[in-house]
Amino acid sequence: MRKKLTACTTILVGKNATIDGSTLAARNDDTPAAITPQRFVVYPAYHDNPNQVHAFLNKFVGDRPADGYRYQGVPNVDLKSEGTFDENGFNEKNVAMSATESFYANERVLAADPMNTVNGINEDAMVAMVLPFINSAKEGVAYLGKLVAKYGSAEGNGVIFSDKDDIWYMEIATGHHWVAQRIPDDCYAVTGNRAAIQDVDFNDPDNFMWSEGIQEFVEKNHLNPDLDEWNFRHIFGTADVFDLHYNTPRQWYGHFLFSPDVEMDPEDFDLPFVMKARHKFTVEDLEKYLSSHYENTPYDPLGHMGTKQQKLLYRPISLNRTQNSHVMQIRPNVPESASAIMWMTFGGIPSFSPYMPFFAQVDDNDARLRNTPMKMDLDSDSTYWLFRQLSMIVESHMSEFAKPDLDYLKDIRQYFHSWVAENTEKLDGLSDTDATAYLNERTKEMLDEVYKRTKTLMAELMTKGVEMSKLTFDMDPNL
């Protein structure tokens, strides 16, 4: 039986395939339990202080350099039980990292190079070990690759790195072997908990990277099942009934949305990872995918098209155990302080909750983001629990509450775009210090508006819900 720490979904879009030349890298962070509280923090830069990272989930201890950049993280609240899992964020150089997209290698490759489960690097500690020390996406791959060589890997992971020009997707398959692929500028890529990268061109180091000796490892251990290609998914990945119902349908649905002219099968083990874009992508396109549950197909568990069996056949993309969903955007032709934005919803189910824009250059997150109680507290201002509550309310009466929620999401997206545009203009010409101070204050104001709109919607829905109670009885008012 497979054990899974996280089970996520990823979509990546190159800069020439987006509407404004941004790079877009996005992922859902899913956990085994519906309630795994997170908080959104900014770790300060540090200098002249060599230090170590101690993982909670195994005995990994990693050495860190004496100097590190400021960076964002979205860690668990219960570190000792759940592990840190900083998951996603930008560093102060506007380099993004999202870690990880968990996946399994097959038993043949693991027999030849087992995971170092005892003290190898794992998702729990990965962001803290890498993000503060990199200046580009490609440098992130190389840096993490050296850590895998030094410590070994404790698990199979797909890791996203992006900057204003490049998006790299790295897959660590065994204790010491990995490959990475640069997403072409005119393409998009989708995957979910399965080895994604396919044909690897070892003559093209500008678009592929790999662990030292991986070709010799495959040849020595007779691991390549193909006659005339070197396909990472075929060599290192799995293709079983679990994949057919848990993984491949999510990849298929991404292509269903974004390449509708290409007919594909949700149970095809060889679905493409990378596809050429059919249109220019927006942030909303990625949000739509990550918040989806097979809408307009028979497989939608909330829809009306399929049979009961079809509705339960495939694992949806948006889940009640999605702890945070994020789209990391890096924009060209704007001030550096305004370039990197993480659009994120956390706590709520992405289907029902807004993706809020957080500039990378903020250095002091609001207490509503930082302070998350382990249990729901109605007196708390926690952003995580605010959207947990909203999601529960909307799903409780989907047919009646879906339209008001959609109207709320549309209106608040319009507000966010206006807010981003206004702040981008104001940041032009400000020093780094002044830009950060300005963004700190404006982000608090944005959260004030989010809370006001969200609580107004919740009050309206709860009032309507009271009126819909089945514990009612009509009788003569004179009796």
Side-chain angles (χ1 to χ4, degrees):
M1 181 177 178
R2 294 186 175 188
K3 294 181 180 180
K4 179 59 64 178
L5 294 176
T6 55
C8 311
T9 306
T10 289
I11 177 168
L12 314 168
V13 186
K15 61 185 180 182
N16 292 344
T18 63
I19 200 166
D20 62 353
S22 297
T23 56
L24 296 175
R27 184 174 65 90
N28 278 359
D29 168 33
D30 304 330
T31 58
I35 305 298
T36 308
Q38 292 183 337
R39 56 200 190 97
F40 181 28
V41 300
V42 178
Y43 298 99
Y46 68 90
H47 303 286
D48 300 318
N49 181 32
N51 59 90
Q52 293 181 323
V53 170
H54 293 251
F56 287 95
L57 295 185
N58 66 357
K59 296 181 180 179
F60 172 80
V61 178
D63 297 318
R64 298 207 307 178
D67 300 281
Y69 297 133
R70 182 186 72 234
Y71 68 103
Q72 300 167 320
V74 191
N76 291 329
V77 174
D78 184 4
L79 302 183
K80 291 187 177 180
S81 297
E82 304 290 347
T84 303
F85 289 91
D86 280 317
E87 292 301 332
N88 48 281
F90 285 98
N91 67 20
E92 64 183 83
K93 298 299 182 180
N94 288 345
V95 179
M97 179 179 181
S98 182
T100 69
E101 180 77 40
S102 302
F103 78 93
Y104 296 94
N106 63 64
E107 58 272 24
R108 298 184 308 279
V109 296
L110 289 173
D113 182 26
M115 294 296 183
N116 181 8
T117 57
V118 176
N119 51 21
I121 188 169
N122 60 21
E123 182 178 349
D124 175 19
M126 194 173 288
V127 172
M129 284 295 295
V130 177
L131 188 54
F133 314 108
I134 59 175
N135 296 280
S136 71
K138 189 172 185 178
E139 187 178 320
V141 175
Y143 194 96
L144 180 52
K146 290 178 181 178
L147 294 180
V148 171
K150 178 178 180 180
Y151 298 105
S153 179
E155 58 200 8
N157 284 314
V159 186
I160 303 166
F161 294 102
S162 66
D163 56 38
K164 65 181 180 180
D165 293 313
D166 300 327
I167 302 173
W168 282 85
Y169 188 66
M170 177 182 187
E171 293 192 306
I172 306 165
T174 67
H176 301 88
H177 287 297
W178 55 269
V179 298
Q181 181 175 1
R182 181 184 181 275
I183 307 305
D185 292 337
D186 60 350
C187 292
Y188 74 93
V190 288
T191 188
N193 298 130
R194 217 179 147 237
I197 296 172
Q198 296 172 289
D199 291 335
V200 177
D201 186 349
F202 292 101
N203 296 312
D204 185 6
D206 291 333
N207 292 293
F208 292 94
M209 298 172 69
W210 52 88
S211 55
E212 184 177 355
I214 191 171
Q215 291 172 277
E216 294 80 3
F217 167 76
V218 169
E219 183 176 358
K220 175 184 175 182
N221 292 285
H222 311 290
L223 298 173
N224 191 347
D226 295 318
L227 297 176
D228 56 1
E229 63 179 325
W230 207 98
N231 185 303
F232 178 77
R233 187 190 297 174
H234 290 173
I235 298 169
F236 287 87
T238 59
D240 56 30
V241 67
F242 182 89
D243 293 311
L244 292 181
H245 296 277
Y246 199 83
N247 300 329
T248 62
R250 286 179 284 147
Q251 192 172 33
W252 162 79
Y253 192 67
H255 297 312
F256 175 85
L257 290 177
F258 304 125
S259 298
D261 56 318
V262 182
E263 187 173 346
M264 299 187 195
D265 187 331
E267 296 186 13
D268 181 359
F269 288 127
D270 286 321
L271 287 168
F273 172 46
V274 175
M275 291 281 287
K276 190 166 183 177
R278 265 63 175 174
H279 62 84
K280 297 285 188 178
F281 281 76
T282 65
V283 169
E284 285 79 13
D285 286 325
L286 279 70
E287 293 175 1
K288 177 181 179 180
Y289 174 60
L290 293 180
S291 63
S292 65
H293 39 84
Y294 305 122
E295 290 94 320
N296 301 313
T297 78
Y299 313 116
D300 183 357
L302 302 179
H304 304 286
M305 293 175 62
T307 65
K308 182 178 180 179
Q309 181 182 11
Q310 286 175 314
K311 291 181 181 184
L312 300 176
L313 192 59
Y314 301 138
R315 183 264 211 216
I317 295 165
S318 174
L319 294 172
N320 70 334
R321 54 190 176 89
T322 301
Q323 303 304 327
N324 94 65
S325 181
H326 51 274
V327 180
M328 298 180 294
Q329 178 184 25
I330 309 176
R331 303 184 295 164
N333 306 317
V334 297
E336 280 294 301
S337 56
S339 176
I341 303 173
M342 183 159 63
W343 300 81
M344 182 174 68
T345 183
F346 79 120
I349 299 174
S351 306
F352 311 129
S353 306
Y355 286 74
M356 299 168 284
F358 297 104
F359 283 94
Q361 296 306 316
V362 168
D363 71 354
D364 182 24
N365 271 2
D366 189 273
R368 289 168 287 189
L369 302 169
R370 289 185 280 108
N371 300 332
T372 302
M374 272 302 297
K375 295 183 179 180
M376 187 181 295
D377 181 352
L378 296 181
D379 293 327
S380 168
D381 280 335
S382 162
T383 306
Y384 176 93
W385 287 112
L386 175 73
F387 291 114
R388 273 286 172 222
Q389 294 172 54
L390 174 63
S391 297
M392 186 276 295
I393 292 169
V394 175
E395 191 177 4
S396 67
H397 294 288
M398 264 293 295
S399 58
E400 293 84 5
F401 290 174
K403 179 62 165 60
D405 183 64
L406 288 172
D407 291 342
Y408 152 83
L409 293 174
K410 180 179 179 180
D411 289 344
I412 207 166
R413 280 196 296 265
Q414 180 178 334
Y415 163 73
F416 289 150
H417 281 297
S418 298
W419 183 83
V420 167
E422 176 187 345
N423 288 317
T424 299
E425 184 177 341
K426 293 290 180 71
L427 288 168
D428 194 16
L430 293 184
S431 67
D432 291 345
T433 301
D434 289 344
T436 293
Y438 172 82
L439 288 172
N440 287 346
E441 188 60 34
R442 291 309 309 274
T443 299
K444 292 178 181 179
E445 294 173 8
M446 181 267 288
L447 283 173
D448 289 342
E449 183 68 20
V450 168
Y451 271 66
K452 182 178 75 173
R453 293 182 183 223
T454 304
K455 290 189 173 183
T456 297
L457 173 66
M458 289 166 58
E460 292 173 353
L461 296 181
M462 285 189 285
T463 301
K464 187 174 181 179
V466 169
E467 297 170 347
M468 293 164 55
S469 172
K470 294 182 179 179
L471 288 177
T472 186
F473 190 77
D474 290 331
M475 58 188 299
D476 190 324
N478 296 317
L479 295 179

